[in-house]
Amino acid sequence: MLGWMAWTWPTALLFVGIFSAVGFLTFLEIRYPGGDARQGVLGLTTTRGDRLFITLLGAAYIFLAWLGLIGYPLWGALGLSLAWCVFCFWKV
């Protein structure tokens, strides 16, 4: 099923997770319009979508740095990425 693009199941699950997060943010925007703009990470005024983008970008850099500096296993990088997510979405 996934052989046409040489995808693996973890890769497919990653994209399903990203699309699910975007879908959930779309639902929240329809249900509670306005984007909940507030002072966010790095002193920027951000909306929910901005915080999701910053979280995903930061997680990618965390995983790349972990691979370059430490290597496998990636459980530590996953923990740091989840902590980064909580930090980005934390109400300031």
Side-chain angles (χ1 to χ4, degrees):
M1 178 177 155
L2 298 174
W4 65 274
M5 199 170 163
W7 280 31
T8 62
W9 283 106
T11 305
L13 289 176
L14 173 75
F15 279 95
V16 166
I18 292 171
F19 288 128
S20 297
V22 170
F24 181 68
L25 288 179
T26 302
F27 167 76
L28 285 178
E29 188 62 33
I30 291 170
R31 183 84 169 118
Y32 307 106
D36 191 27
R38 65 173 189 247
Q39 192 74 14
V41 178
L42 308 173
L44 302 171
T45 302
T46 59
T47 63
R48 290 183 289 249
D50 296 335
R51 289 187 292 275
L52 176 65
F53 178 74
I54 291 169
T55 299
L56 292 174
L57 195 61
Y61 284 125
I62 289 169
F63 273 96
L64 287 174
W66 187 275
L67 279 172
L69 298 173
I70 297 171
Y72 292 102
L74 297 174
W75 294 111
L78 179 62
L80 285 174
S81 295
L82 291 175
W84 174 248
C85 177
V86 169
F87 177 71
C88 286
F89 278 90
W90 193 267
K91 290 196 181 236
V92 177

